[in-house]
Amino acid sequence: MPASIGDVAEHAGVSVATVSRALRGLPNVAPSTRARVLEAAARLGYVADARAAGLASGRTRTIGVAVPLIGPWFFSQVLAGVEAVVTDRDLDLLVLTVDDDAGRQRLASGARLRGRVDGVIAVDVALTEEQRATLAANDLPAVLVGLRGEDLPCVLVDNVEVGRTATEHLLSLGHTRIGLVGHARDDPLRFSVPEERRRGYHEALAAAGIEPDPRLELDGNFSIPGGAEAAEALLALPEPPTAILAMSDEMAFGCLRLARQRGLAVPGDLSVVGVDDHDVAAAWDLTTVSQPVQGMGEQAAELLLAVIDAGATAPAHLTVPSRLRVRGTTGPAKADRTPSRSTQDAIT
Amino acid sequence: MPASIGDVAEHAGVSVATVSRALRGLPNVAPSTRARVLEAAARLGYVADARAAGLASGRTRTIGVAVPLIGPWFFSQVLAGVEAVVTDRDLDLLVLTVDDDAGRQRLASGARLRGRVDGVIAVDVALTEEQRATLAANDLPAVLVGLRGEDLPCVLVDNVEVGRTATEHLLSLGHTRIGLVGHARDDPLRFSVPEERRRGYHEALAAAGIEPDPRLELDGNFSIPGGAEAAEALLALPEPPTAILAMSDEMAFGCLRLARQRGLAVPGDLSVVGVDDHDVAAAWDLTTVSQPVQGMGEQAAELLLAVIDAGATAPAHLTVPSRLRVRGTTGPAKADRTPSRSTQDAIT
DNA sequence: GCAGGCGGAGCAAGCGCTTTCAGGGCTGCG
DNA sequence: CGCAGCCCTGAAAGCGCTTGCTCCGCCTGC
């Protein structure tokens, strides 16, 4: 039903080849001819069929982004960053969620993507070594975000540093018992970020001569309720922490909620530091380690476009800076006093 | 470079037609032949080129979603809802941002989408009457979310009711001066939601016999900082409101932040109600009017798929329910006392 | 005045699939 | 035993573009 290039050619009295060239602004088309073609195309409301154009040209003018989930703040911000660059270049954005191993395998093998995208950005998609190799060996340009891949370009945050920075901040305030709320330890493959941040936490503790206490390290599921539960468990310990490092702002929000419910003053009774600099972190006055999430999406997109345009270059590993943002949820540890709830416990 | 259907045919010793049928599970293929084809395809790592398949079949197996922005909570949730349905049907998701009139025009005319998607969902894209007609006349199946369109199926919230419900809640608590924080009045076309919510607010006030005060209605830009600014301006009024209805939770967060900075007790000195039931609203104990955002995305996707599968049916108009969620940021108005800051002002 | 060059346009060969139509071997029934 | 009919398979015609190659004038440069 829609007008095809042949219709335009007919109306303009030229060949389809000329229509194609005229419409795409290629040289070797006389101005008067081009004008006639443009006029005819406009009159017919003609738009080139993307499939046909792609088939013939070998390109799709689309780039794909694989994320585990779309809804969470982090991923939507990365998507927004990618989108900005992609739209700027007049390309389209295909979003696919990859949250299980079948999906990772499909992504790595290029299935489901062939003829769909010119390149793909995988955000926090925990590919196995083998899958990464498959992806790299594939002809499909790919960029990783959040996770390392030797043979692929990637955009990373130094998560060890993130963990260390946050921990050092709390140590510098005099805290010695610092809770860590993050992801479950038994899942290193799916998502290596928590493990790295935990390492930074341990390094900082070690540098301060503090023995890590495994009971202070809990899973928070990277969600608000998860953070609240973890905080609850931490505060129920015989010797509860005076500060909590949550590996994401969302978990930190959960901790803050629980603290409020318990009637604990923040940072008076409990200090909390998060990671991300979530949109609402500032509104909550949350001390956090910020990372340029949207910027990571942009960088990844730029990297990918460079690979697509320039062909296979040496895989660049980009490390973006993180930065401690001290706000109101962290303060000096009270030397003489553990949080009120445990004080009660101690009295009884 | 990737294997083509011809390679598979050759390896399996059959024709391309048979490969195509075998791989897509069509009938009239002998089991033994199918097995041979599958084996060959697996060995070669063959995947059909989406463009070629689409060109030949006329379908793209992709559906498009147009949003003004990707990053904000609301849109990312709608996207997630659409994604769930789309992935479930083994389709792909193309995301495009439409934030200016050129973009709206392109969307309506189907440019940039031809040969890319089988249908499109437009979320809060404020098309003109003419653009909506163009879109409807187009052969491209489309569903609207958030904004009404007579000749197109759409998924809506009764925003008048949202405004009324929230306002009635505050009225029932004894508030009579209620600030309204939303979008600028002079932009009715781009985004009709604020206008509708404002109408509900006015209706509730009228029912309570209260004369609306234009000075109480301010723009909040649907952002946290915008909400904070609006709250600041409201509290600086000679007769400041004792409650604020923010048209989004994000703006409500801004109000809460400002209240805390000003040392105002919530809800003691100031009640705040939002709209959305944002992920962190519960953590903040924010009273709000919830709407099933993700569900709206799902519904829209289902509606679109129905249109695509069944052809043009009568455009369905789906209204999803909103619901007041009373939490801790709203409380009784103090009859004898305006918020502390204005009390100071009154004293001087 | 003529050859070489160049800008402008068309022809036609794909791009890699899907799908219609035709055909060949069998089975089953008369 | 013969023919209708059914299964399975292949040949080939597109789908709607892009692009390499060819061709045709006309303008330079010597």
Side-chain angles (χ1 to χ4, degrees):
Chain A
M1 192 61 186
S4 76
I5 195 173
D7 302 332
V8 179
E10 197 175 329
H11 277 250
V14 296
S15 70
V16 294
T18 300
V19 172
S20 174
R21 284 188 279 251
L23 255 28
R24 285 179 304 142
L26 297 185
N28 288 355
V29 176
S32 64
T33 308
R34 190 184 304 272
R36 218 154 11 105
V37 170
L38 289 176
E39 198 272 331
R43 193 145 40 86
L44 295 173
Y46 169 75
V47 190
D49 182 294
R51 291 168 301 203
L55 230 207
S57 68
R59 257 164 290 104
T60 64
R61 302 199 62 71
T62 303
I63 82 117
V65 181
V67 292
L69 293 166
I70 293 185
W73 181 81
F74 181 86
F75 298 117
S76 69
Q77 295 309 302
V78 175
L79 276 181
V82 173
E83 191 275 337
V85 173
V86 159
T87 299
D88 195 54
R89 298 287 215 294
D90 206 41
L91 303 174
D92 279 321
L93 219 212
L94 193 73
V95 176
L96 52 164
T97 55
V98 172
D99 54 359
D100 56 6
D101 200 63
R104 285 190 282 272
Q105 190 55 48
R106 268 202 311 260
L107 174 65
S109 70
R112 180 152 210 68
L113 246 39
R114 170 152 124 87
R116 284 200 175 282
V117 302
D118 292 334
V120 66
I121 295 173
V123 185
D124 277 358
V125 175
L127 302 170
T128 62
E129 197 58 49
E130 193 181 333
Q131 287 168 337
R132 269 201 295 265
T134 308
L135 183 56
N138 226 331
D139 51 342
L140 189 70
V143 171
L144 264 34
V145 172
L147 295 176
R148 176 163 261 106
E150 289 313 325
D151 32 12
L152 286 167
C154 38
V155 176
L156 305 159
V157 176
D158 184 340
N159 280 300
V160 178
E161 182 181 285
V162 167
R164 198 188 317 117
T165 304
T167 309
E168 283 171 352
H169 169 61
L170 294 172
L171 288 168
S172 75
L173 289 169
H175 297 276
T176 54
R177 280 191 71 72
I178 301 173
L180 183 68
V181 176
H183 205 283
R185 177 151 228 163
D186 57 4
D187 193 12
L189 192 129
R190 256 205 56 200
F191 192 38
S192 66
V193 171
E195 197 49 51
E196 293 171 19
R197 290 183 184 165
R198 190 193 319 268
R199 185 134 46 89
Y201 163 81
H202 284 165
E203 283 180 17
L205 289 184
I210 297 176
E211 186 73 18
D213 180 346
R215 291 169 301 176
L216 290 178
E217 302 177 13
L218 288 169
D219 183 13
N221 192 35
F222 276 77
S223 71
I224 298 177
E229 284 172 31
E232 183 162 29
L234 284 172
L235 294 175
L237 287 175
E239 285 183 88
T242 60
I244 294 179
L245 162 52
M247 289 191 192
S248 78
D249 284 352
E250 269 144 318
M251 293 190 288
F253 296 153
C255 296
L256 292 177
R257 179 178 76 185
L258 189 97
R260 194 184 48 212
Q261 284 172 351
R262 285 282 182 281
L264 295 180
V266 173
D269 296 321
L270 181 72
S271 283
V272 175
V273 55
V275 176
D276 271 349
D277 206 8
H278 190 293
D279 285 346
V280 307
W284 215 312
D285 209 18
L286 175 68
T287 295
T288 191
V289 180
S290 73
Q291 36 182 339
V293 183
Q294 201 153 333
M296 291 168 73
E298 290 167 12
Q299 303 264 23
E302 299 283 6
L303 230 50
L304 181 63
L305 292 176
V307 174
I308 292 173
D309 292 346
T313 45
H317 283 210
L318 221 62
T319 299
V320 301
S322 60
R323 184 179 137 196
L324 178 69
R325 294 192 187 271
V326 180
R327 297 206 181 95
T329 58
T330 50
K334 296 185 180 172
D336 55 333
R337 185 167 168 272
T338 45
S340 48
R341 187 172 183 283
S342 71
T343 304
Q344 281 186 345
D345 293 349
I347 289 171
T348 54
Chain B
M1 191 60 187
S4 76
I5 196 173
D7 303 332
V8 179
E10 198 175 330
H11 278 249
V14 296
S15 71
V16 294
T18 300
V19 173
S20 175
R21 283 188 282 251
L23 255 29
R24 285 180 305 142
L26 296 186
N28 289 355
V29 177
S32 64
T33 309
R34 191 185 303 273
R36 218 154 10 106
V37 170
L38 288 176
E39 198 271 334
R43 192 146 41 85
L44 294 173
Y46 169 76
V47 190
D49 183 294
R51 290 166 301 203
L55 229 205
S57 69
R59 255 164 290 103
T60 63
R61 302 199 62 70
T62 303
I63 82 117
V65 182
V67 292
L69 292 165
I70 293 185
W73 181 81
F74 181 87
F75 298 116
S76 69
Q77 296 308 303
V78 175
L79 275 181
V82 173
E83 191 276 335
V85 173
V86 157
T87 299
D88 194 54
R89 298 287 214 293
D90 205 43
L91 303 174
D92 280 321
L93 220 213
L94 194 73
V95 176
L96 54 162
T97 54
V98 172
D99 55 359
D100 56 7
D101 199 64
R104 285 190 283 273
Q105 190 55 48
R106 269 202 311 259
L107 174 65
S109 70
R112 179 151 209 68
L113 246 37
R114 172 153 123 88
R116 283 198 176 281
V117 301
D118 293 333
V120 66
I121 295 173
V123 185
D124 277 357
V125 176
L127 302 170
T128 62
E129 197 58 47
E130 193 182 334
Q131 287 168 337
R132 271 201 295 263
T134 307
L135 183 55
N138 227 332
D139 52 343
L140 189 71
V143 171
L144 264 35
V145 172
L147 295 177
R148 176 163 262 107
E150 290 314 323
D151 32 11
L152 287 167
C154 38
V155 176
L156 305 159
V157 176
D158 184 340
N159 280 300
V160 178
E161 183 181 284
V162 166
R164 199 189 316 118
T165 304
T167 309
E168 283 170 354
H169 169 61
L170 294 172
L171 289 169
S172 75
L173 290 168
H175 296 278
T176 53
R177 280 191 73 73
I178 301 172
L180 183 69
V181 176
H183 205 284
R185 177 150 227 162
D186 56 4
D187 195 10
L189 191 128
R190 256 206 57 201
F191 191 36
S192 66
V193 172
E195 197 49 51
E196 292 170 19
R197 292 185 182 162
R198 188 192 321 266
R199 186 134 45 89
Y201 162 83
H202 283 166
E203 283 180 18
L205 290 184
I210 296 175
E211 186 73 20
D213 180 346
R215 289 168 303 176
L216 289 177
E217 302 176 15
L218 288 169
D219 183 14
N221 193 36
F222 277 76
S223 71
I224 297 178
E229 284 172 30
E232 182 163 29
L234 284 173
L235 294 175
L237 288 174
E239 285 183 88
T242 60
I244 294 178
L245 162 52
M247 288 191 194
S248 78
D249 283 352
E250 269 144 317
M251 293 190 288
F253 296 153
C255 296
L256 292 177
R257 177 177 80 186
L258 190 97
R260 194 184 49 215
Q261 284 173 351
R262 284 283 182 281
L264 295 181
V266 173
D269 296 322
L270 181 71
S271 284
V272 176
V273 55
V275 175
D276 272 349
D277 206 8
H278 189 293
D279 285 345
V280 306
W284 215 314
D285 208 19
L286 175 68
T287 296
T288 191
V289 180
S290 74
Q291 36 181 341
V293 183
Q294 202 154 331
M296 291 168 72
E298 290 168 12
Q299 303 264 25
E302 297 284 5
L303 231 51
L304 181 63
L305 292 177
V307 173
I308 292 174
D309 292 345
T313 45
H317 283 211
L318 222 61
T319 300
V320 301
S322 60
R323 183 178 137 197
L324 178 69
R325 293 189 187 273
V326 179
R327 298 205 182 94
T329 57
T330 50
K334 296 185 181 173
D336 55 334
R337 187 171 165 266
T338 45
S340 47
R341 187 171 184 284
S342 72
T343 303
Q344 281 186 348
D345 292 351
I347 290 171
T348 54

